[in-house]
Amino acid sequence: MAPFCEECRWNFLTGTATSYTPIAPPPQAQRPSAPPPGFPAAPPAPGPVAPQDPFGYHDSRPSQVNRPAEPLGAEPTHHQAPPRAAADDDWVLSPPSQAQPPQPQAPQGWTAYIGPDRDYFMAMMRRSGPEASGLNLPAYAPPKQLPLRGNQVSIGRRRHSTGEAPDIDLAVPPEDPGVSHQHAVLVQQPDGSWAVVDQNSTNGTTVNGGEEPIQPYVPVQLQDGDRVHVGAWTTITVRRG
């Protein structure tokens, strides 16, 4: 008693084919019924099959397809060759560039500041005998400074007979009469610092207001700001930089 055929859609009431297609009701989940006794259970319906990966990403072995990304902006040229693959198909990466060791800095220069020193002059007068009573501290002396260069800098007074003059000549006005012609020497050390060596002078050499003169021909290391006293009133202050 169906009004039309379910296969060809022939309407038995009108005698013609119909184009009406009924809307199928939404599928309803049905609980699986247990099989009758004595019959095996039906196998589960196969689930959706994942599409096969054409590139073989499921394989853990590295390949040229999934090689590491190249840095941005790197465009290959005809001089560049692709990285060579090792025997086990591992990609060989170039090692990172090694950091350059720090370059040694040039040692800072030193400068000697030369001039009369009232405190040193008064100390010398107290230690000296009556022969020093005629000495007077110069009322004015222009400031002098000398960059320390080379291996050594000589301190003394010019010899008028030969014209030989030291690097720090204390015979120029105001002349210090207590300085020997070859009084002392400033000697540069391997680390760029300086030391003072007394040349067996007549009145000796003291450092930083010391009461006793330093030993002749024995280097005494100098620090930044140290004071070297020679003659009757002259102080030579060495400074770095």
Side-chain angles (χ1 to χ4, degrees):
M1 298 301 293
F4 57 87
C5 178
E6 293 181 357
E7 295 181 0
C8 64
R9 301 300 177 185
W10 179 263
N11 194 325
F12 297 103
L13 299 179
T14 61
T16 59
T18 179
S19 60
Y20 172 74
T21 302
I23 299 177
Q28 297 181 0
Q30 298 181 0
R31 299 179 59 184
S33 59
F39 290 89
V49 179
Q52 185 178 2
D53 189 353
F55 299 103
Y57 285 107
H58 60 279
D59 191 357
S60 60
R61 185 179 181 184
S63 64
Q64 294 185 4
V65 176
N66 57 351
R67 63 180 182 270
E70 297 179 356
L72 297 177
E75 297 182 359
T77 61
H78 62 280
H79 298 289
Q80 297 178 350
R84 180 177 58 85
D88 57 352
D89 203 22
D90 289 339
W91 285 90
V92 180
L93 302 179
S94 59
S97 59
Q98 298 181 356
Q100 296 294 332
Q103 299 296 330
Q105 297 181 356
Q108 295 181 351
W110 290 67
T111 305
Y113 297 86
I114 309 117
D117 186 343
R118 180 177 180 82
D119 293 337
Y120 168 63
F121 174 73
M122 298 303 295
M124 281 292 296
M125 293 296 291
R126 290 192 297 268
R127 292 194 299 265
S128 301
E131 66 277 3
S133 59
L135 294 176
N136 293 308
L137 182 69
Y140 171 75
K144 302 176 184 178
Q145 64 183 46
L146 177 70
L148 300 182
R149 298 190 180 96
N151 297 326
Q152 64 182 21
V153 176
S154 56
I155 304 171
R157 285 191 303 132
R158 179 190 305 269
R159 294 181 181 273
H160 297 286
S161 58
T162 61
E164 180 184 0
D167 299 314
I168 299 178
D169 186 7
L170 299 175
V172 296
E175 181 177 359
D176 190 333
V179 176
S180 302
H181 291 287
Q182 296 180 352
H183 195 103
V185 176
L186 298 174
V187 181
Q188 189 177 38
Q189 303 301 292
D191 61 353
S193 62
W194 291 81
V196 59
V197 182
D198 183 81
Q199 299 294 293
N200 196 22
S201 61
T202 301
N203 296 311
T205 303
T206 57
V207 176
N208 292 332
E211 294 290 336
E212 297 296 329
I214 62 177
Q215 297 182 12
Y217 307 115
V218 177
V220 175
Q221 181 68 39
L222 298 176
Q223 304 296 330
D224 183 17
D226 281 353
R227 294 167 291 126
V228 177
H229 311 288
V230 296
W233 55 66
T234 303
T235 294
I236 303 170
T237 304
V238 294
R239 295 194 180 278
R240 178 168 49 189

